[in-house]
Amino acid sequence: MSVIADIVIVVLLLLGAGFALIGSLGLVRLPSTMERLHGPTKATTLGLGALLVASVVYFRARFGVWTAHEALISLFLFITAPISANMIAKVHLHRLRTGAISEPDSIAGPPPRPGGDGEWATFEAPRRDTPASTANS
Amino acid sequence: MTLLDHLPIAPVVIPAMTAPLAMMLMRRHARAATALSLGGCVAMLVAACTLFGVAQDGAIRSYALGAWPAPFGIVLVLDRLAAMMLVLAALLATVVLGHALVTGADRRGWHFHPLFHFQLMGLNGAFLTGDLFNLFVFFEVLLIASYGLMLHGQGALRMKAGVAYVVVNIVGSALFLIALGLLYGLTATLNMADLAVRIAALGTADQGLLRVAGLLLMTVFALKAAVVPLHLWLPRTYAATMPVVAALFAIMTKVGVYAMIRTVPLIFGAQAGAAAWVPAPYLLPAAILGAVVGFVGVLAARGLREQAAFAVLASTGTLLMAVASWRAATLAAALYYMVQAVLAGAALFLVADVTMRRRGQYADALVPSPRFAGQDAAGLLYLAAAIGAVGLPPLAGFVGKLLILDASYATPGWPAVWTTILVTTLIGVIGFSRSGSTLFWKTSAADADPIACPARAHAEFIAPALLLAALAALTGAAGWMTEQTRATAAQVMMPVTYVTAVLGAAR
Amino acid sequence: MIDLALHLAAGAIALAVLLNLWRLLRGPALGDRIVALDTMVINAIALIVLIGMIGGNDTYFEAALLLAMVGFVSTIAYCKFILRGDIVE
Amino acid sequence: MRHVLPHPALSAMLLIVWLLMANSITIGGVVLGGAFALILPKFTQPFWPDRPRMRFGRHFLGYLAIVLLDIVVANFQVAWLILFRRSRDLRARWLVVPIDLTTPEAITMLAGTISLTPGTVSADVSADGRFLLVHALDVADEAAEVARIKRRYEARLHRIFA
Amino acid sequence: MSLEFLVASAIAVLVAGGIYLALRGRTFQVVLGLTLLSYAVNLFLFAIGRLIVDRPPLYAKDVTAHADPLPQALVLTAIVITFGMTALTVILSLRSFLESGSDQVDGLADPDAEEPA
Amino acid sequence: MALLTLISLPFVAAILLALARHATRGVHMLIAGGASAGGVAVLLTQAGAVLAGRTPAVRIAWLPALGLDLSLWLDPLALLFAALILGIGFLVVLYAQGYLKKEEPTARFLSFLLLFQGAMVGIALSGNVLLMLVFWELTSLPSFLLIGFWRDRAEARQGARMALTITGGGGLALIAGMVLLGKAAGSYELATILSRAAQVQASPLFPAILLLILAGAFTKSAQFPFHFWLPHAMAAPTPVSAYLHSATMVKAGVFLLARLWPVLAGTEWWFVIVTAVGLVTMIFGAGVALFRHDLKAILAYSTISQLGLMVMLLGFGTAAAVTAAVFHILNHAAFKAALFMHAGIVDHETGTRDIRRLGGLAALMPLTATLGVLAAAAMAGLPPLGGFISKEMMLEQSAHTAWAGQALLVPVLATLAALLSAAYSLRYAVALHFGARRTAAMAAPHDPGALLLAPPAVLVGLALALGLAPMTLAGPLVAAASAAVTGATRPALHLALWHGVNPALLMSLGAVAVAVLLLWRHAAVAAAVARLPAPDAKRLFDRGMTAAVGALRQLSGRLHAASLQRYLTVLFLVAIALGSEAALRFGITPGARATTPASPVAIVAWVALVAATGAVLAIDRRRYLALIFLSVIGVVMALAFVHLSAPDLALTQIAVEVVTILLMLLALHLLPGNPPRLSGVTRRARDGLIAAAGGLGTGWLAWTIMTRPERAGVSRFHWDNSYAGGGGTNVVNVTLVDFRAFDTFGEITVLGIAGLAIYALLEPAAHGVAGRRLRQWRSRDRFSPERHPMMFVMATRLLLPLALLVGFYIFLRGHNQPGGGFIAALVFSIAILQQYLASGFDWTDVRRRIGEHQLIASGVLIAVATGLGSLLFGAPFLTSSFGHFHLPLIGDFELATAMLFDLGVAAVVVGAVMMALAQLAHVAQRAAKNDGDAAA
Ligand code: NA
Ligand code: NA
């Protein structure tokens, strides 16, 4: 039990830390803001996820207590991380549009327009009575 | 425990309840809030006077908050000094609040009453506490309330001056924490009596750190007390705020002085090694400079409020000259001087207030204006306040200065003290007489119509007159008062009593 | 073995923090810096979890939880400042 | 019943979160957590005026499983990209994903899912809420990727937010 | 390299940065300076309890080694007070700017400051 | 009792006058005159006893700590002075009644006059030198007010200030002298001091005592070179001049010299200084008086001269000279007061005081003229007036006085002075009353009414009587007073007009003869004198004062310039300097505690912190970026707290950080963007040095503390009692809510006050200049049109209940685990702030249930109430109690009053945080709305 647990813990630790590191490495290596935005997703998902599972197993193996609250950290991150990414992407789009210096294009080129006659919400206020409009805006 | 035993907490609790209640009432029931505010003030005065009576037996009472024994919990310590300061603060507050109500100053902005009472809570807490960190906390309470009050009303100048005032004090608080940290790091205690005991036991290796801590702590107190050269913030701050607020602030610089008087003989007394009488080498020159700078400022001021602000500086300098030798006799004189200086400074600000309300656009500028309503009465009050501030008979300042001269004789540096007191008094006399004659005698156009001003209630004159009457009373009762200050100074200079009262006889 | 792995993991995350720092200082886009900060917060959460494991107590869990919960608020605020100027409107 | 328990799913979630936080299951904990689980949805109702109906059944669990799986897989893929692919060889693309979901909650969930799986990030929604702008780190065929997203995630969300 | 050294030098860096910024001419810089200074002070106040790794002051019967709880309580109080002060300073700076049109601490106006009509 | 009546009568009358200021002039006169007359009456009741050798005295303890008692006595010298003060005072009151114009406020005038009178009586009666100082200083004020009575006149104001400055300055020297005197004598009681002459004169302080006291006396008595204020005090109404500046106040200096004569006189110092000053003043004053043209100026300089005479006599140090001085005091008071009144009448009737424009008044106003001529004759020292006798006595004493071995020097100079005195007196008598009729303004001047005439008449009568019947009238008094001055037995006194032919008579005759000659050639001499360069003391004084005030004003202004940067520089420098002092003197060295090795993580965190700090410094003007780096520092701090066993601190740090960033971003939005740099390279280098010194110093302090072994302290107790006594295992929390709950109580008050102050700052910001600036504010950046991003809004709706739940959890567990009210409150706040961020101000604000004011107020009240609750059980404020309870099903749980306290904490924190942020967010919106209202 203990050896298996140890192995599981070690693997999870290295996996998690590895993904976190790779995510941050991506932040350094990837060519522009939009690409770099992909890196952290690893840290938040599998990186931290593996570490948290490692923690659960670790406390069980070492101290014989079940801890489950680690899941909450993941829960919160799963809710918040996409929002962060979304907002940062909006910043990027907005700065691109307003011609801010030091805001390089993604290697994917300039973002395309959406279909229909509209624009992305960053460039045009969400229209009333559409799914993009939250009740209060 | 009887209710009387709990009384030491009253000066903190009463304003702490008055303030939030006034805050809740302010929006809907302004009158009730005002009445409550005044009632709270009077209640505090009653409590303070009762405590003063209690302290008369010369015993020092320690009140252990939360029933945790000293030095582990926080204690309030009621001794003569604390009681005296409480009465002084409550007295001043009551008069000032009355003036604010009469003149409507409390309605010139938001939250005057809650801020006012929180200010008092901070002051009273600072006077009562026997714990150094708690002293910091109450310093912060009184400071932040003072920020609010200082900014009460409007105006770009007030805001700019406010930024400087706030920032300087925040840096001061940072220094306070560093000094506190060092002391805790050396002694692992925060209780002042316990600090006294433990500091005396520190080894040679710790003396340098101890001295740094002491000096930094004194720097903070000196900043609050506006001791030269740490006084630079004061003139603009006090001149920029509403005079009625500045009148309350007359006691604020004295809190810094109080803190020195509280901590030096107790914690940094003869037993404190490298930190023995820690401010000693610097305090006297700084005090002398303070008196000079203050009275020169009185002479050089361009407005009444600025002049009053410098008068406050001057009084601090004068009284610190007496404090600086750390003897019971001089301390007694200093305490007498301090009490009257607070009242005189406040009176000056209130007179400035009354005057500037009546001078229209001329406000408090020291330039001649056309005649204005109530000029004679205001002039008379100004004269009296100036007499009080500069220290001429028949008001208490003169007695105070005589006491200081008499007591400081033959202390180190006494010729400098004497010369300073006498020369600066002359400078002050010249300054006040110049500005008084400009304001109340000279007219910009003798035949011009008097400045139109809405009918003012004579009630406006009451508060300054009361303060001046108090100054006169202090002269008349100088014998009783000096007996008080003598006993107070003697108690302060006998820290053993304090330590025993707080920590018990066992230690 | 676990201790070694724990320290290795902590070292890796520390390295990741350094990389974040590099991006943070380097920019060049504002978005880059915000991402870097956001990632640094995630890595800090990871570090807190690891510190808890190394010390063998889970007292620090709330710190990690709180960071996960409120860390993003500042990220959003930074973004909204660029997008709208007024972050509450 | 609706009066007392305006949002049973949310209440259930809160109770679970409470128990997770407390890290133990005691009767006292359940009672206390249950109380909060009852009070909080009511208290916060003004802040979420028309909460959508969701089904937390089989579809939901299936969706969770798929997403978790995708996250693991995608993590390895992207890790490989970061470590070994040279920047200029990356086939980064913008994807415009037309969406049929109609509630903001559902769209948000879709966009969130896309972001959580490494390799794709939801960058924006169109002003009319009918398109999603997604940035992909490395795709060979844009149309196929769009189709995959719609099929794998959106279709399932449709069923959950029926 | 010891933890103590790291903390001490961090305090030094923060204090130096804080002092330097506090001496600058614009309110926002001063606010930044005060913030750095308060970090430094909090760290200092914390450090006087000495540094102890992984021994939080949570009472348990058989625990003997633990961090000194008192400095932590002091720092908490200090953080709260600092927060109040910072908030007030920030808002006061803003109000002062709105009144005078200048964000300089010493009241001088920028040449291009706009005056309201 | 009599003495107390004497001293209080004038003060009571002054107060009555102030109260009855609206009554008629008659009433005013009645009060003032009554008081003075009453005083005289009281004196008369005592006179017999005093002259018989008894000394009525009263001593009431006033300030025993200082040795200042209300000690009064009435010895013959005091009697003499008091009689002068009260008697002449009575006459002046009468005279003033005739003198003041109808519209002038007599009540004010007379109350000042009586105030003065009281102070003077006080000086005379004081049996304690400190008490005398009190009264001495007290005379300056009414003098100031009376000189400046005609306040619209510039010369009145200037004259008043000058008098105050000079006599005030002298008074201060006197204070020093008197206190030193008391120290040397061992008592402030006059009687004691006078009996300890030897002790005082042997004191090393004696020269200082003498010089300081003389400075006080000389300034008050207008002795050269302090004389120049007196002529300018003539801007006062004439009754004032008659009273203060001739008869009484200026004599206070002489009185003082006489009073202290036994202790001070008889030494070489005394003789040299006092005689010389008196002599010089006597000659100088007389010389100037001769060439003045303003009647009052002539009288003023003559007064200076006559005072010099008295001072000189006292300086001689012999009993006989003292007798002469005492008698002259009496004579001078009589004739000089009369002369001033006379000059006032002339001025009153003719409209001018210029002697060159006046002449032949004898015919126009014979009564007035008679009085004037007689009084002037007394001043000239002509027989048969009293002035003659005292002048003879003076010359007689001079003739016996050798100076520095020169037997002739003093007599010759004294004769010269007598000559000049005779000359100006005769000029006054002759030029004014005889010769061609010259009256400036008024057509037909005539003798005034009785009110103006009677007082000088009485005085002239006195001057005459003092000559004709000196022994009867003044003999006993002068003898007794002289004895009182010298402290010896009474001299064998013989006052008479004829003493036979002696040197004095010859000197006197010669002086008068030459004086007549001089007067005959006055015009030519005056012209010659006018060509002499004469320094104008007033101009010098004024110019000096103006220059000094200007310089000081500039200095003070520059020193106190509005510069926060300077305030802070000084503060930092002082702290650094003091720290260095301690370090250099006592050394600050690290201790022996073993250090903890740093992990790579710690090092990386350190690198991040240092780099971020550096970045903040480097880009401090790009505020947005600076904030981002500030966040990095915050994260590192949180990590450090976790690493260093402080989970509560970590939690707090994390939460506070977020709120702070929000706050700063809100404010930043309204601040101007990318401002130019303000300070140059030198300035920045200097600040850098200060910063480096401060940083290194603080770091070193931290290092030396951390490397010292910890000491057993109070926190040991906290640890031991946390659970047993406080009911919680989180010792930090128990410390906060129990051991040191009072700190926490203060701390939440701080937050609450911050909220109030912030509200008070922001609420009015939408109005006035600030509001206008807000409405005109336009960002330089272009913004995205999207206000409420959908994903964010959706996420926050889910996060709100979750975050609140976490908040409750943290609150409830705080007592035992990291957490507590403060952190919970921040979590609550952040949860709500997220809503503001996502959905906007209006939307969120209407959904919020409780106002910030109520939260803050009720929080503080809850905390207080919790604290007070323990009083009900007889325990001190903030005593907590707790209990572990067991309920079926639910199990064990704990209730502690400390948690109630913590609830108060939480309420205040939420209130204050929301107040700060929501109000700040509100400002811009409200300004925009105001804009709309204004447009509508
Ligand atoms: Na993210
Ligand atoms: Na307790």
Side-chain angles (χ1 to χ4, degrees), chain B residues 65-68, chain F residues 725-726 734 737-739 741 876-881 897-898:
Chain B
L65 290 156
W68 297 110
Chain F
V734 175
V737 299
D738 204 335
F739 300 121
F877 189 69
L878 283 174
T879 305
S880 73
S881 70
T897 55

Side-chain angles (χ1 to χ4, degrees), chain F residues 16-405:
Chain F
L16 283 180
L17 281 165
L19 294 175
R21 63 186 179 282
H22 298 303
T24 62
R25 290 165 74 103
V27 173
H28 296 156
M29 188 178 70
L30 212 62
I31 297 174
S36 303
V40 173
V42 173
L43 268 188
L44 285 176
T45 63
Q46 304 292 312
V50 172
L51 292 179
R54 287 195 295 277
T55 305
V58 60
R59 185 168 173 181
I60 299 169
W62 176 16
L63 223 175
L66 186 57
L68 166 55
D69 288 334
L70 193 66
S71 169
L72 302 172
W73 69 347
L74 191 69
D75 75 333
L77 181 63
L79 177 70
L80 170 70
F81 253 80
L84 279 180
I85 293 158
L86 291 167
I88 297 181
F90 176 70
L91 297 174
V92 166
V93 168
L94 294 188
Y95 180 81
Q97 198 63 21
Y99 182 84
L100 288 180
K101 297 200 186 72
K102 286 273 174 289
E103 67 274 12
E104 285 181 304
T106 43
R108 188 164 78 199
F109 182 82
L110 291 174
S111 69
F112 291 164
L113 207 67
L114 282 164
L115 218 53
F116 169 77
Q117 189 180 75
M120 280 307 295
V121 171
I123 293 179
L125 264 53
S126 287
N128 178 299
V129 289
L130 294 184
L131 185 66
M132 192 188 291
L133 278 180
V134 171
F135 288 120
W136 182 280
E137 289 294 305
L138 201 50
T139 58
S140 300
L141 291 168
S143 164
F144 174 75
L145 294 170
L146 285 167
I147 298 172
F149 186 72
W150 285 321
R151 55 199 187 185
D152 288 327
R153 301 183 186 174
E155 65 271 27
R157 296 193 297 267
Q158 288 161 1
R161 286 208 304 260
M162 195 193 292
L164 184 66
T165 306
I166 303 299
T167 63
L172 293 165
L174 181 64
I175 294 178
M178 289 293 218
V179 178
L180 282 184
L181 178 64
K183 292 291 179 192
S187 167
Y188 292 118
E189 278 299 301
L190 198 48
T192 316
I193 293 175
L194 293 181
S195 69
R196 291 183 184 165
Q199 186 182 332
V200 171
Q201 294 184 2
S203 158
L205 293 169
F206 182 71
I209 294 174
L210 182 66
L211 287 174
L212 290 167
I213 291 180
L214 290 182
F218 289 166
T219 48
K220 202 82 162 180
S221 284
Q223 295 298 289
F224 185 88
F226 307 115
H227 63 283
F228 55 91
W229 65 267
L230 185 58
H232 296 286
M234 296 301 141
T238 297
V240 175
S241 311
Y243 193 32
L244 275 67
H245 305 128
S246 67
T248 55
M249 186 177 96
V250 289
K251 291 222 178 66
V254 176
F255 172 78
L256 184 69
L257 295 182
R259 188 80 278 181
L260 296 177
W261 197 86
V263 257
L264 301 181
T267 58
E268 191 61 22
W269 283 83
W270 168 273
F271 173 73
V272 171
I273 299 170
V274 179
T275 306
V277 168
L279 197 54
V280 169
T281 307
M282 181 166 71
I283 295 169
F284 170 82
V288 175
L290 186 54
F291 302 105
R292 290 286 140 155
H293 306 302
D294 179 9
L295 296 183
K296 283 179 80 173
I298 295 171
L299 295 179
Y301 278 103
S302 89
T303 303
I304 292 172
S305 169
Q306 303 277 346
L307 290 166
L309 185 156
M310 300 172 217
V311 167
M312 180 187 74
L313 283 172
L314 290 171
F316 285 168
T318 62
V322 166
T323 311
V326 168
F327 190 47
H328 194 68
I329 288 172
L330 203 55
N331 280 315
H332 180 255
F335 68 69
K336 188 52 67 62
L339 278 170
F340 268 110
M341 291 178 180
H342 172 262
I345 295 173
V346 172
D347 184 13
H348 203 266
E349 295 296 322
T350 66
T352 184
R353 297 192 319 231
D354 190 335
I355 197 167
R356 288 167 302 184
R357 300 169 67 197
L358 293 163
L361 291 181
L364 291 166
M365 30 206 306
L367 290 174
T368 311
T370 310
L371 294 175
V373 170
L374 280 173
M379 179 159 72
L382 296 181
L385 292 131
F388 171 73
I389 302 177
S390 53
K391 186 190 67 177
E392 293 293 295
M393 293 166 80
M394 179 275 283
L395 290 172
E396 172 77 20
Q397 293 307 312
S398 307
H400 301 148
T401 305
W403 176 282

Side-chain angles (χ1 to χ4, degrees), chain E residues 1-44 46-108 110-117, chain F residues 562-565 568-569 572 593-598 602-603 606 609-610 613 616-617 620-621 623 626-627 630 633-634 637 641 643-649 652-653 656-657 659-660 663-664 667-668 670-672 675-676 678-679 683-684 687-688 690-692 694-696 698-699 701-703 705-706 708-711 714-716 718-719 723 729-732 735-736 740 743 747 750-751 754 757-758 760-762 764-765 769-770 772-774 776 780 816-818 822 913 916 920:
Chain E
M1 191 102 65
S2 64
L3 268 182
E4 282 80 4
F5 174 77
L6 293 185
V7 170
S9 54
I11 289 171
V13 168
L14 288 170
V15 167
I19 292 180
Y20 181 79
L21 284 180
L23 290 173
R24 304 271 60 75
R26 298 192 184 274
T27 49
F28 199 81
Q29 292 168 303
V30 173
V31 169
L32 284 181
L34 294 182
T35 311
L36 291 188
L37 216 49
S38 71
Y39 281 140
V41 169
N42 291 342
L43 211 47
F44 186 92
F46 179 75
I48 53 151
R50 316 300 192 265
L51 303 185
I52 294 194
V53 177
D54 256 334
R55 295 284 176 274
L58 297 169
Y59 178 81
K61 237 181 203 143
D62 41 354
V63 172
T64 48
H66 58 87
D68 189 344
L70 192 50
Q72 296 194 14
L74 303 187
V75 176
L76 256 171
T77 306
I79 290 179
V80 178
I81 289 176
T82 306
F83 170 73
M85 295 290 175
T86 307
L88 185 66
T89 316
V90 167
I91 285 165
L92 176 57
S93 316
L94 175 65
R95 176 76 197 278
S96 169
F97 162 70
L98 290 176
E99 290 291 342
S100 64
S102 154
D103 69 334
Q104 297 190 18
V105 288
D106 290 342
L108 304 163
D110 281 320
D112 58 340
E114 311 132 34
E115 276 305 307
Chain F
S563 170
L564 171 64
Q565 287 167 298
L568 289 180
T569 307
F572 289 133
R593 184 178 188 270
T595 55
T596 323
I603 294 171
W606 181 87
L609 182 131
V610 173
T613 311
V616 171
L617 290 181
D620 59 329
R621 284 169 307 126
R623 297 156 169 174
L627 276 188
L630 210 56
I633 302 176
M637 291 286 288
F641 288 139
H643 191 45
L644 298 171
S645 319
D648 283 279
L649 286 181
T652 312
Q653 175 65 42
V656 165
E657 186 70 23
V659 179
T660 308
L663 182 83
M664 291 201 180
L668 199 56
L670 297 168
L671 285 174
L678 286 174
S679 41
R683 180 63 190 268
R684 278 180 282 145
D687 292 347
I690 297 175
L696 285 175
T698 320
L701 291 177
W703 169 251
I705 280 283
M706 281 187 284
R708 278 172 159 63
E710 50 269 72
R711 293 193 159 81
V714 290
S715 52
R716 181 84 252 158
H718 295 163
W719 176 266
Y723 189 70
T729 54
N730 181 358
V731 188
V732 175
T735 306
L736 285 173
R740 298 188 67 88
D743 276 347
E747 156 205 332
V750 169
L751 265 194
I758 285 167
L761 274 175
L762 288 178
V769 185
R772 249 172 294 150
R773 214 180 294 275
L774 265 181
Q776 279 172 25
R780 284 168 207 167
N816 293 311
Q817 291 291 313
F822 181 73
V913 169
L920 185 52

Side-chain angles (χ1 to χ4, degrees), chain F residues 689-916:
Chain F
L689 280 178
I690 297 175
L696 285 175
T698 320
W700 184 247
L701 291 177
W703 169 251
T704 50
I705 280 283
M706 281 187 284
T707 50
R708 278 172 159 63
E710 50 269 72
R711 293 193 159 81
V714 290
S715 52
R716 181 84 252 158
F717 176 92
H718 295 163
W719 176 266
D720 294 338
N721 287 276
S722 173
Y723 189 70
T729 54
N730 181 358
V731 188
V732 175
N733 184 270
V734 175
T735 306
L736 285 173
V737 299
D738 204 335
F739 300 121
R740 298 188 67 88
F742 202 52
D743 276 347
T744 309
F745 178 51
E747 156 205 332
I748 60 167
T749 314
V750 169
L751 265 194
I753 300 167
L756 290 186
I758 285 167
Y759 185 83
L761 274 175
L762 288 178
E763 211 283 335
H767 315 292
V769 185
R772 249 172 294 150
R773 214 180 294 275
L774 265 181
R775 288 191 288 280
Q776 279 172 25
W777 182 89
R778 296 288 176 271
S779 171
R780 284 168 207 167
D781 300 324
R782 277 167 59 203
F783 290 131
S784 157
E786 186 188 32
R787 287 165 173 269
H788 311 294
M790 180 196 71
M791 286 180 70
F792 181 36
V793 174
M794 288 303 118
T796 56
R797 290 185 185 174
L798 179 61
L799 283 172
L800 179 66
L802 284 175
L804 292 179
L805 190 72
V806 173
F808 282 117
Y809 176 72
I810 287 180
F811 177 83
L812 287 174
R813 74 200 289 274
H815 216 43
N816 293 311
Q817 291 291 313
F822 181 73
I823 301 162
L826 284 176
V827 172
F828 290 142
S829 306
I830 293 170
I832 299 170
L833 286 171
Q834 275 182 33
Q835 304 298 314
Y836 277 97
L837 240 64
S839 301
F841 185 85
D842 292 333
W843 191 87
T844 313
D845 216 43
V846 295
R847 285 164 174 78
R848 214 152 43 84
R849 305 251 164 109
I850 314 170
E852 302 95 342
H853 284 96
Q854 283 79 352
L855 272 174
I856 294 177
S858 52
V860 173
L861 284 174
I862 290 173
V864 178
T866 313
L868 286 176
S870 51
L871 264 58
L872 296 178
F873 303 97
F877 189 69
L878 283 174
T879 305
S880 73
S881 70
F882 62 92
H884 295 267
F885 302 90
H886 183 86
L887 274 184
L889 280 182
I890 292 181
D892 289 317
F893 64 99
E894 182 197 353
L895 286 177
T897 55
M899 292 186 77
L900 201 57
F901 180 77
D902 223 11
L903 185 67
V905 172
V908 175
V909 173
V910 173
V913 169
M914 295 309 298
M915 184 86 98

Side-chain angles (χ1 to χ4, degrees), chain B residues 179-197:
Chain B
L180 255 172
L182 286 175
L183 286 176
Y184 182 84
L186 289 172
T187 62
T189 192
L190 293 167
N191 178 288
M192 292 199 237
D194 200 29
L195 270 171
V197 174

Side-chain angles (χ1 to χ4, degrees), chain B residues 220-232:
Chain B
V220 177
F221 295 158
L223 179 72
K224 315 281 171 196
V227 176
V228 175
L230 301 174
H231 70 292
L232 294 170

